[in-house]
């Protein structure tokens, strides 16, 4: 009886749905008939910039949120008048030009080092750009350094292309420089690799002279830069330069079976799909013989070749076809239409009605499609009921927030796997106590083995209260967006259970805290390893902070949240407390969260959270790495319970060597250790403004690592050799600085390289 009723109900629902589909499809048809653009009221300009679809300034006008252009009408330009300015997504990156050929021009800043300027600014020496969506064109852009005795380095913090490169320009006068030629004298250039979406540029000007008061470094569109000797002075007036990005749609290729899906972006008939030449995704182009916007249905219009002058047909014989043209005499005439300059003579024509047949075919085909769609919906309805129960948990567990996010940020969620409850139960032996890896503020972490023998760490939230749900979803969203080799990777999650679960990659070698404070392990943590771990952690945090649209503050940086794998590669974990900051709110006031001993005192007092709070916590981790001491310890005198205080006073009173971990003092050169100690001290500054940014910290550590691995810069080269290098200016060195990174420097001079790691103590 009840099943009969169910069937009836189902049928009624089906009819309603079918009607709904019909209504929707008619609206779509009328909409496309009325206007070609996704939404006919879309604003397609911002200032002087034309914004073709798939880009757009508001919802319904762009393909997906990656193509959002924010048009800020209130920003005023250099002339004080207010013109609308377009920005990439929700960022401060200004868009200069969009072309449907897959190029996007944005403006980027010049890094400058002017040691003589009274308002000496540390910040200007570091410029970084971080894009989520589109890679930087490696064919159109080039890294350029302008100045005499100027070293420029460029680094990428992104996950798979971890590299550093750069060039050095050394010269002792303006003689020998050639306008229009950037070939090593006063100006040097080096290409950038493909597939990078971020860079940080660092410039050092070593020798101030009248003709070269500053050093400059920048990445810019190669063909728009023309070196002039005036740039040694005048580059100072220029603030931004154009940079070309390669944009593409999605992360699939044309070969992937996506051409038949509704999401396929080459909407126009007579359009073709091309794979991106730089990174993932594809582009569309109108087929030959057509022009227009291939991303719009009906966007590729026929080119009327007969309008062009060199079609080569006889007078009046050019016939434009859709997609091509031919030369034949017009109806009622005959002759050789292909002969240029000849003419046609009258004859009797025959009409054709093939057009009507095509229209009839189209109509019957679309009816068939509608019918097929209707029946598959009927089948789907039955399955929907089964899913309902799990859906209840799913909703309770914040699935809706997550779903909404997936809708908005479709692409980044693709690698996240949704696990079933049974799968995870099996993997953890029903959450057996022997599988517990650790317990944190937000829950318990179990070790699990999936059916394909992959080891994972499964995080189970403690209790399921509503305030934690938001935090949980926050963590999921955050982590799915992050793909960095020094950040613990989220593999998936399970929302079907009462308590939501997160599945992470399993990091084999425990926490950094274990390694530092366990006496048997600490000795195997050499100085080189410590420096590597510090650099990698700084890189990961800098990466999080430099997110263009929404910087991520970790909020709980500590040695127990830094995991190590078998190669002692650092992986930053536990984003339970982290949150995004929208661009317009640089500071946010929240409940103070964090761990005693690592907590930024400024944040603790004021509740004002900035990225600099992570810098402070990282400073404590650095102190821990240097001294082997706990962040909070009652073994030390009362006033030095806090490692930050203990360390700070030791550095201040020049007692550093008393508190350093014994074996690193014995094994390593004291100079780099002192540099790191200075860096830690800078991070631990009480005033937020006095602390360096995470990017600056990462760059300094990076520089130290280069020196550590290749102490060529420190060897006492003979004076003649140094002179020689300075005068000739082109010696190319390629130095491998570890996994996938190398520095290539044109020219070479010891004190110059050494200064790379100096500025911190000079600057404060
Ligand atoms: C944009 O690029 C096109 C083609 O390269 C060019 O014709 C146009 O002038 C550029 N517009 C701006 C504002 O740079
Ligand atoms: C600085 O530049 C001047 C002029 O080019 C040169 O004579 C001098 O040797 C340079 N000093 C150093 C330390 O390189
Ligand atoms: C380069 O051009 C600028 C002005 O265009 C001129 O003042 C300068 O002398 C030129 N330099 C050389 C080396 O030709």
């Amino acid at each position: 009886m009840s099943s009969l009723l169910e069937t009836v109900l189902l049928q009624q629902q089906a009819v309603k749905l079918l009607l709904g589909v019909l209504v929707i499809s008619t609206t779509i048809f009328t909409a496309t008939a009325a206007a070609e653009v996704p939404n006919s009221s879309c604003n397609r300009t911002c200032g002087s910039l034309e914004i073709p679809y798939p880009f757009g300034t508001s919802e319904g006008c762009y393909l997906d949120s990656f193509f959002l252009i924010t048009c800020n009408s209130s920003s005023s330009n250099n002339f004080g008048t207010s013109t609308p300015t377009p920005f990439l997504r929700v960022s401060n990156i200004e868009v200069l030009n969009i072309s449907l050929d897959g190029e996007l021009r944005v403006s980027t800043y010049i890094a400058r080092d002017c040691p003589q300027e009274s308002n000496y600014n540390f910040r200007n020496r570091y410029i970084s750009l971080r894009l989520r969506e589109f890679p930087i064109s490696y064919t159109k852009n080039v890294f350029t350094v302008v100045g005499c005795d100027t070293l420029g380095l460029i680094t990428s913090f992104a996950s798979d292309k971890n590299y550093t490169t750069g060039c050095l320009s050394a010269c002792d006068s303006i003689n020998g420089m050639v306008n229009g030629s950037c070939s090593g004298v006063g100006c040097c250039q080096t290409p950038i690799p493909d597939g990078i979406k971020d860079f940080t540029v660092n410039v050092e000007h070593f020798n101030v002279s009248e003709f070269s008061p500053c050093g400059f470094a920048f990445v810019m569109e190669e063909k728009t830069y023309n070196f002039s000797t005036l740039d040694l002075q005048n580059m100072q007036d220029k603030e931004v330069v154009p940079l070309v990005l390669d944009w593409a749609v999605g992360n699939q290729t044309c070969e992937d079976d996506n051409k038949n899906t509704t999401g396929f972006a080459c909407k126009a008939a007579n359009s073709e799909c091309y794979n991106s030449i730089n990174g993932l995704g594809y582009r569309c182009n109108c087929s030959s013989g057509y022009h227009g916007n291939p991303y719009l249905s009906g966007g590729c219009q026929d080119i009327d070749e007969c309008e062009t002058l060199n079609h080569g047909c006889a007078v009046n014989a050019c016939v434009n076809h859709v997609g091509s043209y031919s030369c034949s005499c017009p109806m009622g005439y005959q002759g050789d239409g292909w002969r240029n300059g000849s003419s046609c003579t009258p004859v009797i024509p025959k009409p054709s009605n093939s057009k009507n047949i095509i229209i009839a075919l189209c109509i019957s085909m679309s009816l068939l499609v509608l019918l097929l769609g209707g029946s598959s919906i009927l089948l789907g309805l039955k399955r929907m009921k089964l899913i309902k129960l799990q859906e209840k948990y799913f909703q309770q567990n914040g699935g809706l927030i997550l779903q909404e996010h997936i809708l908005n940020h479709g692409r980044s969620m693709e690698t996240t796997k949704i696990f079933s409850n049974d799968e995870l139960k099996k993997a953890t032996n029903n959450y057996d106590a022997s599988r517990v890896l650790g317990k944190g503020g937000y829950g318990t972490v179990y070790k699990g083995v999936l059916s394909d023998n992959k080891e994972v760490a499964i995080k189970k939230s403690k209790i399921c209260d509503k305030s934690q749900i938001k935090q949980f979803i926050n963590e999921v969203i955050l982590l799915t967006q992050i793909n960095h080799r020094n950040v613990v990777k989220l593999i998936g999650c399970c929302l079907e259970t009462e308590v939501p679960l997160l599945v992470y990659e399993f990091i084999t070698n425990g926490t950094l805290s274990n390694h530092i404070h366990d006496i048997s392990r600490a000795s195997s943590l050499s100085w080189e390893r410590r420096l590597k771990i510090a650099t990698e952690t700084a890189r990961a945090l800098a990466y999080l902070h430099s997110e263009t649209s929404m910087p991520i503050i970790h909020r709980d940086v500590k040695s127990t949240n830094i995991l190590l794998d078998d190669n002692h590669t650092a992986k930053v974990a536990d984003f339970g407390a982290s949150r995004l900051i929208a661009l317009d709110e640089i500071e946010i006031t929240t409940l103070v969260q964090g761990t005693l001993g690592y907590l930024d005192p400024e944040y603790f007092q004021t509740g004002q959270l900035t990225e600099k709070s992570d810098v402070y916590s990282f400073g404590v981790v650095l102190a821990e790495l240097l001294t082997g001491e706990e962040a909070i310890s009652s073994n030390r005198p009362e006033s030095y319970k806090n490692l930050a205080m203990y360390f700070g006073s030791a550095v201040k009173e020049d007692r550093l060597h008393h508190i350093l971990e014994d074996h690193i003092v014995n094994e390593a050169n004291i100079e780099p250790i002192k540099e790191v100690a200075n860096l830690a001290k800078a991070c631990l500054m009480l005033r937020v403004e006095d602390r360096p940014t995470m990017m600056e910290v990462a760059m300094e550590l990076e520089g130290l690592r280069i020196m550590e691995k290749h102490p060529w810069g420190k060897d006492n080269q003979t004076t003649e050799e140094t002179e020689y290098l300075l005068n000739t200016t082109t010696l190319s060195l390629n130095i491998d600085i570890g996994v996938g990174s190398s520095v290539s420097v044109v020219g070479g001079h010891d004190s110059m390289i050494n200064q790379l790691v100096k500025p911190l103590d000079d600057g404060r």
Side-chain angles (χ1 to χ4, degrees):
M1 179 63 202
S2 73
S3 76
L4 188 75
L5 204 81
E6 224 170 68
T7 324
V8 171
L9 276 174
L10 270 176
Q11 277 172 356
Q12 281 180 351
Q13 274 176 301
V15 168
K16 267 191 212 161
L17 257 169
L18 210 65
L19 279 174
V21 169
L22 278 173
V23 170
I24 290 166
S25 18
T26 10
T27 12
I28 288 171
F29 288 150
T30 41
T32 40
E36 288 168 357
V37 201
N39 182 343
S40 55
S41 59
C42 287
N43 198 353
R44 290 273 158 224
T45 57
C46 177
S48 59
L49 177 75
E50 264 185 59
I51 306 170
Y53 187 79
F55 292 88
T57 54
S58 54
E59 206 158 337
C61 298
Y62 49 75
L63 180 66
D64 64 39
S65 59
F66 286 80
F67 294 94
L68 169 66
I69 302 288
T70 304
C71 191
N72 189 345
S73 51
S74 61
S75 57
S76 59
N77 61 13
N78 292 342
F79 309 106
T81 59
S82 160
T83 49
T85 315
F87 294 99
L88 204 56
R89 298 229 298 173
V90 192
S91 70
N92 53 359
I93 302 170
E94 190 181 339
V95 179
L96 304 175
N97 204 339
I98 302 173
S99 108
L100 283 173
D101 303 336
E103 280 182 10
L104 184 70
R105 227 164 251 111
V106 297
S107 74
T108 165
Y109 287 90
I110 295 175
R112 65 190 67 232
D113 184 17
C114 302
Q116 259 186 347
E117 265 176 28
S118 52
N119 54 345
Y120 174 64
N121 195 345
F122 187 58
R123 183 104 339 119
N124 288 343
R125 287 182 32 226
Y126 294 90
I127 292 299
S128 58
L129 179 78
R130 169 82 196 288
L131 302 153
R132 152 149 300 150
E133 49 281 11
F134 308 129
I136 295 152
S137 172
Y138 65 101
T139 49
K140 297 283 169 70
N141 301 305
V142 67
F143 177 62
T144 307
V145 173
V146 171
C148 274
D149 301 353
T150 304
L151 171 69
L153 289 180
I154 175 169
T155 302
S156 167
F157 288 80
S159 49
D160 43 354
K161 283 268 160 53
N162 223 338
Y163 87 104
T164 301
T165 187
C167 70
L168 173 83
S169 157
C171 31
D172 47 21
S173 79
I174 209 152
N175 299 331
M177 292 182 199
V178 181
N179 277 345
S181 160
C182 183
S183 53
V185 190
C187 176
C188 65
Q189 287 183 326
T190 189
I192 59 170
D194 66 322
I196 63 163
K197 294 185 182 173
D198 75 307
F199 61 73
T200 298
V201 165
N202 171 18
V203 63
E204 287 276 341
H205 188 56
F206 304 109
N207 187 6
V208 176
S209 56
E210 207 171 300
F211 64 91
S212 176
C214 298
F216 308 94
F218 45 91
V219 185
M220 90 179 263
E221 188 176 12
E222 186 171 13
K223 70 170 190 209
T224 53
Y225 183 64
N226 228 340
F227 172 71
S228 155
T229 50
L230 296 181
D231 287 346
L232 295 173
Q233 311 274 349
N234 283 357
M235 209 71 180
Q236 293 177 78
D237 305 336
K238 206 187 273 180
E239 260 204 76
V240 294
V241 284
L243 178 79
V244 181
L245 312 181
D246 288 326
W247 65 269
V249 177
N251 52 12
Q252 290 180 307
T253 63
C254 298
E255 285 74 37
D256 288 346
D257 189 24
N258 65 2
K259 288 196 180 171
N260 301 324
T261 63
T262 49
F264 186 55
C266 305
K267 288 269 190 287
N270 305 307
S271 66
E272 268 150 50
C273 181
Y274 295 86
N275 287 331
S276 167
I277 51 153
N278 189 7
L280 298 170
Y282 60 89
R283 285 191 306 107
C284 314
N285 255 356
C286 288
S287 314
S288 92
Y290 294 85
H291 65 168
N293 188 336
Y295 300 92
L296 298 171
S297 74
C300 288
Q301 304 288 333
D302 172 45
I303 297 173
D304 190 348
E305 290 87 355
C306 296
E307 293 289 303
T308 63
L309 289 172
N310 51 354
H311 53 69
C313 300
V315 179
N316 289 334
C318 183
V319 182
N320 182 43
H321 301 291
V322 181
S324 64
Y325 75 102
S326 64
C327 302
S328 61
C329 291
M331 234 184 263
Y333 294 83
Q334 64 178 8
D336 185 3
W338 289 100
R339 195 183 309 148
N340 207 349
S342 73
S343 36
C344 306
T345 53
V347 85
I348 298 137
K350 267 185 185 169
S352 120
N353 60 352
S354 65
K355 239 186 187 170
N356 290 345
I357 294 170
I358 290 171
I359 289 170
L361 248 165
C362 280
I363 290 172
S364 44
M365 284 295 274
S366 33
L367 275 176
L368 202 78
V369 167
L370 276 179
L371 268 171
L372 283 175
S375 49
S376 59
I377 283 164
L378 243 170
L379 282 172
L381 272 176
K382 274 194 181 170
R383 222 191 284 158
M384 245 156 71
K385 240 195 131 230
L386 263 165
I387 300 167
K388 227 171 190 172
L389 195 89
Q390 286 170 341
E391 217 170 59
K392 194 183 127 207
Y393 281 136
F394 185 74
Q395 283 185 15
Q396 270 176 11
N397 290 338
L400 289 183
I401 312 174
L402 191 62
Q403 246 171 8
E404 192 188 304
H405 189 86
I406 292 174
L407 275 179
N408 288 338
H409 301 81
R411 266 191 259 174
S412 49
M413 302 294 293
E414 247 152 14
T415 49
T416 313
K417 193 172 168 205
I418 308 285
F419 289 91
S420 76
N421 191 15
D422 292 342
E423 235 172 315
L424 296 189
K425 253 189 190 165
K426 225 172 98 191
T428 53
N429 201 3
N430 204 9
Y431 304 104
D432 196 84
S434 66
R435 295 293 190 89
V436 173
L437 287 171
K439 290 188 181 189
Y442 295 91
T444 312
V445 183
Y446 295 87
K447 181 176 176 178
V449 182
L450 298 180
S451 52
D452 58 357
N453 276 335
K454 193 174 176 179
E455 287 182 328
V456 292
I458 299 169
K459 189 168 155 192
K460 194 171 182 176
S461 296
K462 246 183 213 160
I463 14 156
C464 201
D465 90 33
K466 286 229 171 78
S467 66
Q468 293 209 4
I469 287 296
K470 259 205 132 169
Q471 204 134 57
F472 172 83
I473 293 300
N474 193 12
E475 186 166 349
V476 174
I477 292 174
L478 265 179
L479 282 168
T480 50
Q481 291 173 354
I482 298 165
N483 182 17
H484 190 279
R485 64 185 191 140
N486 300 120
V487 174
V488 176
K489 191 161 178 52
L490 179 74
I491 297 172
C493 62
C494 174
L495 300 171
E496 282 170 26
T497 51
E498 203 175 338
V499 184
L501 303 159
L502 285 176
V503 182
Y504 294 94
E505 69 174 317
F506 180 66
I507 310 295
T508 42
N509 214 349
T511 69
L512 175 60
S513 177
N514 290 150
H515 284 257
I516 297 178
H517 303 301
D518 179 333
I519 293 168
S520 61
R521 283 172 134 179
S523 56
S524 71
L525 211 54
S526 64
W527 169 245
E528 194 191 326
R529 275 191 184 151
R530 283 169 200 248
L531 189 55
K532 175 170 176 269
I533 291 165
T535 310
E536 286 171 344
T537 306
R539 264 180 178 276
L541 293 172
Y543 176 84
L544 298 174
H545 290 179
S546 67
E547 184 70 48
T548 43
S549 51
M550 39 184 177
I552 298 164
I553 302 178
H554 187 292
R555 293 219 273 189
D556 202 8
V557 176
K558 55 181 172 179
S559 56
T560 49
N561 274 341
I562 299 166
L563 306 181
L564 299 180
D565 73 4
D566 286 336
N567 298 325
H568 288 88
T569 301
K571 308 256 184 187
V572 177
D574 205 347
F575 289 80
S578 44
R579 58 175 292 172
L580 312 167
I581 341 176
L583 207 70
D584 45 66
E585 35 178 347
I586 294 163
E587 292 180 307
I588 40 176
T589 315
T590 48
L591 219 68
V592 172
Q593 279 175 312
T595 305
L596 231 56
Y598 295 91
L599 198 59
D600 170 13
E602 175 85 6
Y603 166 49
F604 185 71
Q605 270 177 14
T606 62
Q608 294 285 301
L609 182 67
T610 66
E611 284 106 324
K612 295 289 181 73
S613 301
D614 281 353
V615 174
Y616 183 91
S617 307
F618 180 76
V620 179
V621 174
L622 273 184
E624 232 177 316
L625 277 166
L626 286 166
T627 61
E629 294 273 345
E630 304 258 9
I632 290 270
S633 169
S634 40
N635 292 340
R636 294 189 293 263
E638 182 62 30
S639 56
Y640 289 150
K641 248 179 150 172
N642 206 316
L643 178 59
M645 305 288 263
Y646 179 60
F647 181 82
S649 72
V651 174
K652 202 166 157 194
E653 293 157 21
D654 207 13
R655 293 187 283 111
L656 186 64
H657 49 286
H658 292 301
I659 64 161
L660 289 175
E661 174 86 76
D662 290 335
H663 76 266
I664 66 168
V665 180
N666 298 334
E667 101 195 30
N669 197 330
I670 192 72
E671 279 309 315
I673 297 177
K674 273 189 180 161
E675 298 285 356
V676 174
N678 277 335
L679 197 57
K681 189 182 137 211
C683 294
L684 293 171
M685 287 286 181
L686 281 183
R687 274 164 44 109
V688 168
E689 311 86 77
D690 292 343
R691 298 176 203 155
T693 66
M694 215 58 231
M695 189 63 81
E696 286 157 2
V697 174
M699 290 295 280
E700 298 290 339
L701 288 169
E702 196 77 46
L704 278 168
R705 272 197 80 208
I706 297 173
M707 298 312 303
E708 196 84 342
K709 282 198 131 184
H710 302 278
W712 57 275
K714 282 187 212 136
D715 294 342
N716 276 329
Q717 289 169 312
T718 64
T719 331
E720 294 117 78
E721 195 176 355
T722 311
E723 289 294 326
Y724 175 73
L725 290 175
L726 257 180
N727 289 339
T728 53
T729 68
T730 38
L731 170 81
S732 197
L733 291 162
N734 260 301
I735 308 147
D736 182 20
I737 56 161
V739 199
S741 42
S742 79
V743 58
S744 84
V745 173
V746 179
H749 186 247
D750 55 4
S751 65
M752 294 177 186
I753 307 297
N754 269 338
Q755 281 187 41
L756 171 62
V757 295
K758 287 269 163 59
L760 253 189
D761 18 20
D762 304 348
R764 53 204 75 231

